[in-house]
Coordinates of all heavy atoms in Angstrom, one line a residue:
M547 N 0.8 -1.2 0.0 CA 0.0 0.0 0.0 C 0.9 1.2 0.0 O 1.8 1.4 0.8 CB -0.9 0.0 1.3 CG -2.0 -1.1 1.2 SD -3.2 -0.8 0.0 CE -4.5 0.0 1.0
V548 N 0.6 2.1 -0.9 CA 1.3 3.4 -0.9 C 0.4 4.5 -0.4 O -0.7 4.6 -0.9 CB 1.8 3.7 -2.4 CG1 2.5 5.0 -2.4 CG2 2.6 2.6 -2.9
S549 N 0.9 5.1 0.6 CA 0.0 6.2 1.1 C 0.3 7.5 0.3 O 1.5 7.8 0.1 CB 0.2 6.4 2.6 OG 1.6 6.7 2.8
K550 N -0.7 8.2 0.0 CA -0.6 9.4 -0.8 C -0.1 10.6 0.1 O -0.7 10.7 1.2 CB -1.9 9.8 -1.4 CG -2.0 9.2 -2.8 CD -3.2 9.8 -3.5 CE -3.5 9.1 -4.8 NZ -4.8 9.5 -5.3
V551 N 0.8 11.3 -0.3 CA 1.2 12.5 0.4 C 0.3 13.7 -0.1 O 0.3 13.9 -1.3 CB 2.7 12.8 0.2 CG1 3.0 14.1 1.0 CG2 3.5 11.7 0.7
V552 N -0.4 14.3 0.7 CA -1.2 15.4 0.3 C -0.5 16.7 0.5 O -0.1 17.0 1.6 CB -2.6 15.4 1.1 CG1 -3.4 16.6 0.7 CG2 -3.3 14.1 0.9
V553 N -0.3 17.3 -0.6 CA 0.4 18.6 -0.5 C -0.7 19.7 -0.5 O -1.5 19.7 -1.4 CB 1.3 18.8 -1.7 CG1 2.0 20.2 -1.7 CG2 2.4 17.7 -1.8
I554 N -0.7 20.5 0.5 CA -1.7 21.6 0.5 C -1.1 22.7 -0.3 O 0.0 23.2 -0.1 CB -1.9 22.0 2.0 CG1 -2.4 20.8 2.8 CG2 -2.9 23.1 2.1 CD1 -3.7 20.2 2.5
R555 N -1.9 23.2 -1.1 CA -1.5 24.4 -1.9 C -2.5 25.5 -1.8 O -3.7 25.2 -1.6 CB -1.4 24.0 -3.4 CG -0.2 23.2 -3.8 CD -0.3 22.8 -5.2 NE 0.7 21.8 -5.5 CZ 1.9 22.2 -5.9 NH1 2.2 23.4 -6.1 NH2 2.8 21.2 -6.2
C556 N -2.0 26.7 -1.9 CA -2.9 27.8 -1.9 C -3.8 27.7 -3.2 O -3.2 27.6 -4.3 CB -2.1 29.1 -1.9 SG -3.2 30.6 -2.1
P557 N -5.1 27.7 -3.1 CA -6.0 27.6 -4.2 C -6.0 28.8 -5.1 O -6.5 28.8 -6.2 CB -7.3 27.4 -3.6 CG -7.3 28.0 -2.3 CD -5.9 27.9 -1.8
F558 N -5.4 29.9 -4.6 CA -5.4 31.1 -5.4 C -4.2 31.4 -6.2 O -4.2 31.8 -7.3 CB -5.6 32.3 -4.4 CG -6.9 32.2 -3.7 CD1 -6.9 31.8 -2.3 CD2 -8.1 32.4 -4.3 CE1 -8.0 31.7 -1.6 CE2 -9.3 32.2 -3.5 CZ -9.3 31.8 -2.2
C559 N -3.0 31.0 -5.7 CA -1.8 31.2 -6.4 C -1.1 29.9 -6.7 O -0.1 29.9 -7.5 CB -0.8 32.2 -5.7 SG -0.2 31.5 -4.1
G560 N -1.5 28.8 -6.1 CA -0.9 27.5 -6.4 C 0.4 27.2 -5.6 O 1.0 26.2 -5.8
S561 N 0.7 28.2 -4.7 CA 2.0 28.0 -4.0 C 1.8 26.9 -2.9 O 0.7 26.7 -2.3 CB 2.4 29.3 -3.3 OG 3.4 29.1 -2.4
D562 N 2.9 26.1 -2.7 CA 2.8 25.1 -1.7 C 3.5 25.6 -0.4 O 3.7 24.9 0.6 CB 3.4 23.8 -2.1 CG 4.8 23.9 -2.5 OD1 5.4 25.0 -2.5 OD2 5.4 22.8 -3.0
R563 N 3.9 26.9 -0.4 CA 4.5 27.5 0.8 C 3.3 28.0 1.7 O 3.1 29.2 1.7 CB 5.4 28.6 0.4 CG 6.7 28.1 -0.3 CD 7.6 29.2 -0.5 NE 7.0 30.2 -1.4 CZ 7.5 31.5 -1.5 NH1 8.5 31.8 -0.8 NH2 6.9 32.3 -2.3
V564 N 2.7 27.1 2.3 CA 1.6 27.4 3.2 C 1.9 26.9 4.6 O 2.6 26.0 4.8 CB 0.2 26.8 2.7 CG1 0.0 27.4 1.3 CG2 0.3 25.3 2.7
S565 N 1.2 27.5 5.5 CA 1.4 27.1 6.9 C 0.0 27.1 7.6 O -0.9 27.8 7.2 CB 2.4 28.0 7.7 OG 2.0 29.3 7.5
K566 N -0.1 26.2 8.6 CA -1.3 26.1 9.3 C -1.6 27.3 10.1 O -0.6 27.8 10.7 CB -1.3 24.8 10.1 CG -1.5 23.6 9.3 CD -1.6 22.3 10.2 CE -1.8 21.1 9.3 NZ -2.0 19.9 10.1
N567 N -2.8 27.7 10.2 CA -3.2 28.8 11.0 C -4.4 28.6 11.8 O -5.3 29.4 11.8 CB -3.3 30.0 10.1 CG -3.5 31.3 10.8 OD1 -3.0 31.5 11.9 ND2 -4.3 32.2 10.2
G568 N -4.4 27.5 12.5 CA -5.5 27.2 13.4 C -6.8 26.8 12.7 O -6.8 26.4 11.5
H569 N -7.9 26.9 13.3 CA -9.2 26.5 12.8 C -10.2 27.6 12.8 O -10.1 28.5 13.7 CB -9.7 25.3 13.5 CG -8.9 24.1 13.4 ND1 -7.8 23.9 14.2 CD2 -8.9 23.0 12.6 CE1 -7.2 22.7 13.8 NE2 -7.9 22.2 12.9
N570 N -11.1 27.6 11.9 CA -12.2 28.6 11.9 C -13.3 28.1 12.8 O -13.2 27.1 13.4 CB -12.6 29.0 10.5 CG -13.4 27.8 9.8 OD1 -13.7 26.8 10.4 ND2 -13.8 28.1 8.6
K571 N -14.4 28.9 12.8 CA -15.5 28.6 13.7 C -16.1 27.3 13.5 O -16.7 26.6 14.4 CB -16.6 29.7 13.5 CG -16.3 31.0 14.3 CD -17.3 32.0 14.0 CE -16.8 33.4 14.3 NZ -17.5 34.4 13.6
T572 N -16.1 26.8 12.2 CA -16.7 25.5 11.9 C -15.8 24.4 12.1 O -16.0 23.2 11.7 CB -17.3 25.5 10.5 OG1 -16.3 25.9 9.6 CG2 -18.4 26.5 10.4
G573 N -14.6 24.6 12.6 CA -13.6 23.6 12.8 C -12.8 23.2 11.7 O -12.1 22.2 11.7
K574 N -12.8 23.9 10.6 CA -12.0 23.6 9.4 C -10.6 24.2 9.6 O -10.4 25.3 10.1 CB -12.7 24.3 8.2 CG -14.0 23.7 7.9 CD -14.2 23.3 6.5 CE -15.3 22.3 6.2 NZ -16.5 23.0 5.8
Q575 N -9.7 23.4 9.0 CA -8.3 23.9 9.1 C -8.1 25.1 8.2 O -8.5 25.2 7.1 CB -7.4 22.8 8.6 CG -5.9 23.1 8.6 CD -5.3 23.2 10.0 OE1 -5.4 22.3 10.8 NE2 -4.8 24.4 10.3
V576 N -7.5 26.1 8.8 CA -7.2 27.4 8.1 C -5.7 27.4 7.8 O -4.9 27.1 8.6 CB -7.6 28.6 8.9 CG1 -7.3 29.9 8.1 CG2 -9.1 28.5 9.2
Y577 N -5.4 27.8 6.6 CA -4.0 27.9 6.2 C -3.6 29.3 5.8 O -4.5 30.1 5.3 CB -3.7 27.0 5.0 CG -3.8 25.5 5.3 CD1 -4.9 24.8 5.2 CD2 -2.6 24.8 5.7 CE1 -5.0 23.5 5.5 CE2 -2.7 23.5 6.0 CZ -3.9 22.8 5.9 OH -3.9 21.5 6.2
N578 N -2.4 29.6 6.0 CA -1.8 30.9 5.6 C -1.0 30.7 4.3 O -0.2 29.7 4.3 CB -0.9 31.5 6.6 CG -1.6 32.4 7.6 OD1 -2.8 32.8 7.4 ND2 -1.0 32.8 8.6
C579 N -1.2 31.5 3.3 CA -0.3 31.5 2.2 C 0.9 32.3 2.4 O 0.8 33.5 2.8 CB -1.1 31.9 0.9 SG -0.1 31.9 -0.5
N580 N 2.1 31.8 2.2 CA 3.3 32.5 2.5 C 3.9 33.2 1.2 O 5.0 33.7 1.3 CB 4.3 31.6 3.1 CG 3.8 31.1 4.5 OD1 3.2 31.9 5.2 ND2 4.1 29.9 4.8
N581 N 3.1 33.1 0.2 CA 3.6 33.8 -1.0 C 3.2 35.3 -0.9 O 2.1 35.6 -0.9 CB 2.9 33.1 -2.2 CG 3.2 33.8 -3.5 OD1 4.1 34.7 -3.6 ND2 2.6 33.4 -4.6
S582 N 4.2 36.1 -0.9 CA 4.0 37.5 -0.7 C 3.2 38.2 -1.9 O 2.7 39.2 -1.8 CB 5.3 38.3 -0.4 OG 6.2 38.0 -1.5
E583 N 3.3 37.5 -3.0 CA 2.6 38.0 -4.2 C 1.1 37.7 -4.2 O 0.3 38.3 -5.0 CB 3.2 37.4 -5.5 CG 4.7 37.4 -5.5 CD 5.2 38.5 -6.4 OE1 4.9 38.5 -7.6 OE2 5.9 39.4 -5.9
C584 N 0.7 36.8 -3.3 CA -0.6 36.3 -3.3 C -1.6 37.3 -2.7 O -1.3 37.9 -1.6 CB -0.7 35.0 -2.6 SG -2.3 34.2 -2.6
K585 N -2.7 37.5 -3.3 CA -3.7 38.5 -2.8 C -4.5 37.9 -1.7 O -5.1 38.6 -0.8 CB -4.7 38.9 -3.9 CG -4.0 39.7 -5.0 CD -5.0 40.3 -5.9 CE -4.3 40.8 -7.2 NZ -4.2 39.9 -8.3
H586 N -4.6 36.5 -1.6 CA -5.4 35.9 -0.6 C -4.4 35.3 0.4 O -3.7 34.3 0.1 CB -6.2 34.8 -1.2 CG -7.2 35.3 -2.2 ND1 -6.9 35.5 -3.5 CD2 -8.5 35.6 -2.1 CE1 -7.9 35.9 -4.2 NE2 -9.0 36.0 -3.3
R587 N -4.4 35.9 1.6 CA -3.4 35.4 2.5 C -3.8 34.2 3.3 O -2.9 33.5 3.8 CB -3.0 36.6 3.5 CG -2.5 37.8 2.8 CD -1.4 37.4 1.7 NE -0.3 36.8 2.3 CZ 0.8 37.4 2.7 NH1 0.9 38.7 2.7 NH2 1.8 36.7 3.2
N588 N -5.0 33.9 3.4 CA -5.4 32.6 4.0 C -6.6 32.0 3.3 O -7.3 32.6 2.6 CB -5.6 32.8 5.5 CG -6.6 33.9 5.8 OD1 -7.7 33.8 5.3 ND2 -6.2 34.9 6.6
F589 N -6.7 30.7 3.6 CA -7.7 29.9 2.9 C -8.0 28.7 3.8 O -7.3 28.3 4.7 CB -7.3 29.5 1.5 CG -6.1 28.6 1.5 CD1 -6.1 27.2 1.5 CD2 -4.8 29.2 1.5 CE1 -5.0 26.5 1.5 CE2 -3.6 28.4 1.5 CZ -3.7 27.1 1.5
I590 N -9.1 28.1 3.5 CA -9.6 26.9 4.2 C -9.3 25.6 3.4 O -9.4 25.7 2.2 CB -11.1 27.1 4.5 CG1 -11.3 28.3 5.4 CG2 -11.7 25.8 5.3 CD1 -12.8 28.8 5.3
E591 N -9.0 24.6 4.2 CA -8.6 23.4 3.5 C -9.5 22.9 2.4 O -9.1 22.3 1.4 CB -8.4 22.3 4.6 CG -7.8 21.0 4.1 CD -7.5 20.1 5.2 OE1 -8.2 20.1 6.3 OE2 -6.6 19.2 5.1
D592 N -10.8 23.1 2.7 CA -11.8 22.6 1.7 C -11.5 23.0 0.3 O -11.8 22.3 -0.6 CB -13.2 23.2 2.1 CG -14.0 22.2 2.8 OD1 -13.4 21.2 3.3 OD2 -15.2 22.3 2.9
Y593 N -11.0 24.2 0.1 CA -10.8 24.8 -1.2 C -9.8 23.9 -2.0 O -9.9 23.9 -3.2 CB -10.3 26.2 -1.1 CG -11.2 27.2 -0.6 CD1 -11.0 27.9 0.6 CD2 -12.4 27.5 -1.3 CE1 -11.9 28.8 1.0 CE2 -13.3 28.4 -0.9 CZ -13.0 29.1 0.3 OH -13.9 30.0 0.8
T594 N -8.9 23.3 -1.3 CA -7.9 22.6 -2.0 C -8.4 21.4 -2.7 O -7.7 20.8 -3.6 CB -6.8 22.1 -1.0 OG1 -7.4 21.3 0.0 CG2 -6.1 23.3 -0.3
H595 N -9.6 20.9 -2.4 CA -10.1 19.8 -3.1 C -10.7 20.2 -4.5 O -11.0 19.4 -5.3 CB -11.2 19.1 -2.3 CG -10.7 18.6 -1.0 ND1 -9.7 17.7 -1.0 CD2 -11.0 18.9 0.3 CE1 -9.4 17.4 0.3 NE2 -10.2 18.1 1.1
K596 N -10.9 21.5 -4.7 CA -11.4 21.9 -5.9 C -10.3 22.2 -6.9 O -9.7 23.2 -7.0 CB -12.2 23.2 -5.7 CG -13.5 23.0 -5.0 CD -14.3 24.2 -4.8 CE -15.5 24.0 -3.9 NZ -16.1 25.3 -3.5
A597 N -10.0 21.2 -7.7 CA -8.9 21.3 -8.7 C -9.4 22.1 -9.9 O -8.6 22.3 -10.8 CB -8.4 19.9 -9.0
Y598 N -10.6 22.4 -9.9 CA -11.2 23.1 -11.1 C -11.2 24.6 -11.0 O -11.9 25.3 -11.7 CB -12.6 22.6 -11.4 CG -12.6 21.1 -11.7 CD1 -12.8 20.2 -10.7 CD2 -12.4 20.7 -13.0 CE1 -12.8 18.9 -10.9 CE2 -12.4 19.3 -13.2 CZ -12.6 18.4 -12.2 OH -12.7 17.1 -12.5
L599 N -10.4 25.1 -10.1 CA -10.4 26.5 -10.0 C -9.9 27.2 -11.3 O -9.1 26.6 -12.0 CB -9.4 26.9 -8.8 CG -10.0 26.6 -7.4 CD1 -8.9 26.4 -6.4 CD2 -10.9 27.7 -7.0
P600 N -10.4 28.3 -11.6 CA -10.1 28.9 -12.9 C -8.6 29.0 -13.2 O -8.2 28.7 -14.3 CB -10.7 30.4 -12.7 CG -11.7 30.2 -11.7 CD -11.3 29.1 -10.7
D601 N -7.8 29.3 -12.2 CA -6.4 29.4 -12.5 C -5.8 28.1 -12.9 O -4.9 28.0 -13.8 CB -5.7 30.0 -11.2 CG -5.8 31.5 -11.1 OD1 -6.4 32.1 -12.1 OD2 -5.4 32.1 -10.2
V602 N -6.2 27.1 -12.1 CA -5.7 25.7 -12.4 C -6.1 25.3 -13.8 O -5.3 24.8 -14.6 CB -6.1 24.7 -11.4 CG1 -5.7 23.3 -11.7 CG2 -5.6 25.1 -10.0
R603 N -7.3 25.5 -14.1 CA -7.9 25.1 -15.4 C -7.2 25.8 -16.5 O -6.8 25.2 -17.5 CB -9.4 25.5 -15.4 CG -10.2 24.2 -15.7 CD -11.6 24.6 -15.9 NE -11.7 25.6 -17.0 CZ -12.9 26.3 -17.3 NH1 -13.9 26.0 -16.6 NH2 -12.9 27.2 -18.2
K604 N -7.0 27.1 -16.3 CA -6.3 27.9 -17.3 C -4.9 27.3 -17.6 O -4.4 27.2 -18.7 CB -6.2 29.4 -16.8 CG -6.7 30.4 -17.8 CD -6.5 31.8 -17.3 CE -7.7 32.3 -16.5 NZ -7.4 33.6 -15.8
Q605 N -4.2 27.0 -16.5 CA -2.9 26.5 -16.6 C -2.8 25.2 -17.3 O -2.0 24.9 -18.1 CB -2.3 26.3 -15.1 CG -0.8 26.2 -15.1 CD -0.1 27.5 -15.5 OE1 -0.6 28.6 -15.3 NE2 1.0 27.4 -16.1
V606 N -3.8 24.3 -17.0 CA -3.9 23.0 -17.6 C -4.1 23.2 -19.1 O -3.4 22.5 -19.9 CB -5.1 22.2 -17.1 CG1 -5.4 21.0 -17.9 CG2 -4.8 21.7 -15.6
L607 N -4.9 24.1 -19.5 CA -5.2 24.3 -20.9 C -4.0 24.9 -21.7 O -3.7 24.5 -22.8 CB -6.4 25.2 -21.1 CG -7.7 24.6 -20.5 CD1 -8.8 25.7 -20.6 CD2 -8.2 23.4 -21.3
K608 N -3.3 25.8 -21.0 CA -2.1 26.4 -21.5 C -1.0 25.3 -21.8 O -0.4 25.3 -22.8 CB -1.6 27.4 -20.6 CG -0.9 28.6 -21.3 CD -0.6 29.7 -20.3 CE 0.9 29.9 -20.2 NZ 1.3 30.6 -18.9
M609 N -0.9 24.4 -20.8 CA 0.1 23.4 -20.9 C -0.2 22.4 -22.0 O 0.7 21.9 -22.6 CB 0.3 22.8 -19.5 CG 1.1 23.7 -18.6 SD 1.0 23.1 -16.9 CE 2.5 22.1 -16.9
A610 N -1.5 22.2 -22.2 CA -1.9 21.3 -23.2 C -1.5 21.8 -24.6 O -1.1 21.1 -25.5 CB -3.4 21.0 -23.1
I611 N -1.7 23.1 -24.7 CA -1.4 23.8 -26.0 C 0.1 23.7 -26.2 O 0.6 23.5 -27.3 CB -1.9 25.3 -25.9 CG1 -3.4 25.3 -26.0 CG2 -1.3 26.1 -27.1 CD1 -4.0 26.6 -25.6
D612 N 0.9 23.8 -25.1 CA 2.3 23.7 -25.2 C 2.8 22.3 -25.5 O 4.0 22.1 -25.6 CB 3.0 24.3 -23.9 CG 2.8 25.8 -23.8 OD1 2.5 26.4 -24.7 OD2 3.0 26.3 -22.6
G613 N 1.9 21.4 -25.4 CA 2.3 20.0 -25.7 C 2.7 19.2 -24.4 O 3.3 18.1 -24.6
T614 N 2.4 19.8 -23.3 CA 2.8 19.0 -22.1 C 1.8 17.9 -21.9 O 0.6 18.1 -22.0 CB 2.7 20.0 -20.8 OG1 3.5 21.2 -21.1 CG2 3.3 19.3 -19.6
G615 N 2.3 16.7 -21.6 CA 1.5 15.6 -21.3 C 0.6 15.7 -20.1 O 1.0 16.5 -19.2
T616 N -0.5 14.9 -20.0 CA -1.4 15.1 -18.9 C -0.7 14.7 -17.6 O -0.9 15.3 -16.6 CB -2.6 14.1 -19.1 OG1 -2.2 12.9 -19.5 CG2 -3.5 14.7 -20.1
R617 N 0.2 13.6 -17.7 CA 0.8 13.2 -16.5 C 1.8 14.3 -15.9 O 1.8 14.6 -14.8 CB 1.6 11.9 -16.7 CG 1.9 11.2 -15.5 CD 2.5 9.8 -15.8 NE 1.6 8.9 -16.5 CZ 1.8 7.6 -16.6 NH1 2.9 7.1 -16.2 NH2 1.0 6.9 -17.2
A618 N 2.6 14.8 -16.9 CA 3.5 15.9 -16.5 C 2.8 17.1 -16.0 O 3.2 17.7 -15.0 CB 4.4 16.2 -17.7
T619 N 1.7 17.4 -16.6 CA 0.9 18.6 -16.2 C 0.4 18.4 -14.8 O 0.5 19.3 -13.9 CB -0.3 18.8 -17.1 OG1 0.2 18.9 -18.5 CG2 -1.1 20.0 -16.7
G620 N -0.1 17.2 -14.5 CA -0.6 16.9 -13.2 C 0.5 17.0 -12.1 O 0.2 17.6 -11.0
R621 N 1.6 16.5 -12.5 CA 2.7 16.5 -11.5 C 3.2 17.9 -11.2 O 3.4 18.3 -10.1 CB 3.9 15.7 -12.1 CG 4.9 15.3 -11.1 CD 5.9 14.3 -11.7 NE 6.5 14.9 -12.9 CZ 6.7 14.3 -14.0 NH1 6.3 13.1 -14.2 NH2 7.2 14.9 -15.0
I622 N 3.3 18.7 -12.3 CA 3.7 20.1 -12.1 C 2.7 20.9 -11.3 O 3.1 21.7 -10.4 CB 4.0 20.8 -13.5 CG1 5.2 20.1 -14.1 CG2 4.3 22.3 -13.3 CD1 5.3 20.3 -15.6
L623 N 1.4 20.7 -11.6 CA 0.4 21.5 -10.9 C 0.0 20.9 -9.6 O -0.8 21.5 -8.8 CB -0.8 21.7 -11.8 CG -0.6 22.4 -13.1 CD1 -1.8 22.5 -14.0 CD2 -0.1 23.9 -12.9
G624 N 0.4 19.7 -9.3 CA 0.0 19.1 -8.1 C -1.4 18.6 -8.0 O -2.0 18.5 -7.0
I625 N -1.9 18.2 -9.2 CA -3.2 17.6 -9.3 C -3.1 16.3 -10.0 O -2.1 16.0 -10.6 CB -4.2 18.5 -10.0 CG1 -3.7 18.8 -11.5 CG2 -4.5 19.8 -9.3 CD1 -4.7 19.7 -12.3
S626 N -4.1 15.5 -9.9 CA -4.0 14.1 -10.5 C -4.2 14.1 -12.0 O -4.8 15.0 -12.6 CB -5.0 13.2 -9.8 OG -6.3 13.4 -10.5
K627 N -3.6 13.1 -12.6 CA -3.7 13.0 -14.0 C -5.2 12.9 -14.5 O -5.5 13.4 -15.5 CB -3.0 11.6 -14.4 CG -3.0 11.3 -15.9 CD -2.1 10.1 -16.1 CE -2.6 8.8 -15.6 NZ -3.8 8.3 -16.2
D628 N -6.0 12.3 -13.7 CA -7.4 12.2 -14.0 C -8.1 13.5 -14.0 O -9.0 13.8 -14.8 CB -8.1 11.3 -13.0 CG -7.6 9.8 -13.1 OD1 -7.0 9.5 -14.1 OD2 -7.7 9.1 -12.1
T629 N -7.6 14.4 -13.1 CA -8.2 15.7 -13.0 C -7.8 16.5 -14.3 O -8.7 17.2 -14.9 CB -7.7 16.5 -11.8 OG1 -8.0 15.7 -10.6 CG2 -8.3 17.8 -11.6
V630 N -6.6 16.3 -14.7 CA -6.1 17.0 -15.9 C -7.0 16.5 -17.1 O -7.5 17.3 -17.9 CB -4.6 16.7 -16.2 CG1 -4.2 17.3 -17.5 CG2 -3.8 17.2 -15.0
T631 N -7.1 15.2 -17.2 CA -7.9 14.6 -18.3 C -9.4 15.2 -18.3 O -9.9 15.6 -19.3 CB -8.0 13.1 -18.2 OG1 -6.6 12.6 -18.0 CG2 -8.6 12.5 -19.4
A632 N -9.9 15.3 -17.1 CA -11.3 15.7 -16.9 C -11.4 17.2 -17.4 O -12.4 17.6 -18.0 CB -11.8 15.6 -15.5
I633 N -10.5 18.0 -17.0 CA -10.5 19.4 -17.4 C -10.4 19.5 -18.9 O -11.2 20.3 -19.5 CB -9.3 20.2 -16.7 CG1 -9.6 20.3 -15.2 CG2 -9.2 21.6 -17.3 CD1 -8.4 20.8 -14.4
L634 N -9.5 18.8 -19.5 CA -9.3 18.8 -21.0 C -10.6 18.3 -21.7 O -11.0 18.9 -22.7 CB -8.1 18.0 -21.4 CG -6.8 18.5 -20.9 CD1 -5.7 17.6 -21.3 CD2 -6.5 19.9 -21.4
K635 N -11.2 17.3 -21.2 CA -12.4 16.7 -21.8 C -13.5 17.7 -21.7 O -14.2 18.0 -22.7 CB -12.8 15.5 -21.0 CG -13.4 14.4 -21.8 CD -13.7 13.2 -20.9 CE -14.0 11.9 -21.6 NZ -14.2 10.9 -20.6
K636 N -13.7 18.3 -20.6 CA -14.7 19.3 -20.4 C -14.5 20.5 -21.4 O -15.5 21.0 -21.9 CB -14.6 19.8 -19.0 CG -16.0 20.1 -18.4 CD -15.8 20.5 -16.9 CE -17.1 20.8 -16.2 NZ -16.9 21.2 -14.8
H637 N -13.3 20.8 -21.5 CA -13.0 22.0 -22.4 C -13.3 21.6 -23.9 O -13.8 22.4 -24.6 CB -11.5 22.3 -22.3 CG -11.1 23.5 -23.1 ND1 -11.6 24.8 -22.8 CD2 -10.4 23.6 -24.2 CE1 -11.1 25.6 -23.7 NE2 -10.4 25.0 -24.6
K638 N -13.0 20.4 -24.3 CA -13.3 20.0 -25.6 C -14.7 19.9 -25.9 O -15.2 20.3 -27.0 CB -12.6 18.6 -25.9 CG -11.3 18.7 -26.5 CD -10.8 17.3 -26.8 CE -9.2 17.2 -26.7 NZ -8.8 15.9 -26.5
N639 N -15.5 19.4 -24.9 CA -16.9 19.2 -25.1 C -17.7 20.5 -25.1 O -18.6 20.7 -25.8 CB -17.5 18.3 -24.0 CG -17.0 16.9 -24.2 OD1 -16.5 16.5 -25.2 ND2 -17.1 16.1 -23.1
G640 N -17.2 21.5 -24.3 CA -17.9 22.7 -24.3 C -17.0 23.9 -24.8 O -16.0 24.2 -24.2
P641 N -17.4 24.4 -26.0 CA -16.5 25.5 -26.5 C -16.7 26.8 -25.9 O -16.2 27.8 -26.3 CB -17.0 25.5 -28.0 CG -18.4 25.0 -28.0 CD -18.5 24.1 -26.8
G642 N -17.5 26.8 -24.8 CA -17.7 28.1 -24.1 C -16.5 28.7 -23.5 O -15.5 28.0 -23.3
K643 N -16.5 30.0 -23.4 CA -15.3 30.6 -22.9 C -15.4 30.9 -21.4 O -16.4 31.2 -20.9 CB -15.0 31.9 -23.7 CG -14.4 31.6 -25.0 CD -14.1 32.8 -25.8 CE -13.6 32.3 -27.2 NZ -13.6 33.4 -28.1
Ligands
LIG1263 ZN1 -1.6 32.1 -2.3

């Protein structure tokens, strides 16, 4: 059995330089983003499960255009290969902007 290492990333800038910052009222883990360029200085763990955030999606599509493979894209962005595939599929099916 291989246990997955979960890397917490800031959902806004994608930085993994985050630190725990206690819990909010509902008991959710709150993180601080240590990226000084980031506009959102803290976020809640829940957000990290949403790999479909606009920035991530944009990045995936950009890398696909550049010819980066799904596996490499996932590794670089810290999301799963399946997520990358799902984003690309969704994009192909819906030509909406
Ligand atoms: Zn950030």
Side-chain angles (χ1 to χ4, degrees):
M547 290 294 261
V548 180
S549 59
K550 268 192 190 169
V551 177
V552 179
V553 179
I554 304 293
R555 285 175 188 271
C556 173
F558 303 104
C559 68
S561 170
D562 59 3
R563 287 186 302 163
V564 300
S565 52
K566 287 188 179 182
N567 187 32
H569 295 83
N570 71 2
K571 280 177 199 158
T572 56
K574 296 230 164 95
Q575 179 70 56
V576 178
Y577 291 89
N578 267 351
C579 177
N580 296 321
N581 177 5
S582 54
E583 312 260 296
C584 185
K585 293 186 192 95
H586 300 81
R587 299 314 298 271
N588 53 56
F589 60 95
I590 298 161
E591 190 174 22
D592 258 17
Y593 291 116
T594 59
H595 297 303
K596 291 183 187 166
Y598 298 91
L599 288 156
D601 281 356
V602 175
R603 241 190 50 190
K604 236 184 266 169
Q605 197 67 31
V606 167
L607 298 174
K608 208 172 121 203
M609 287 168 88
I611 292 163
D612 290 345
T614 310
T616 47
R617 199 174 294 193
T619 302
R621 198 174 53 228
I622 292 162
L623 297 179
I625 57 180
S626 81
K627 180 171 69 69
D628 296 338
T629 306
V630 175
T631 310
I633 290 170
L634 294 175
K635 212 179 199 177
K636 215 173 182 183
H637 183 69
K638 263 185 212 158
N639 292 345
K643 281 180 182 164

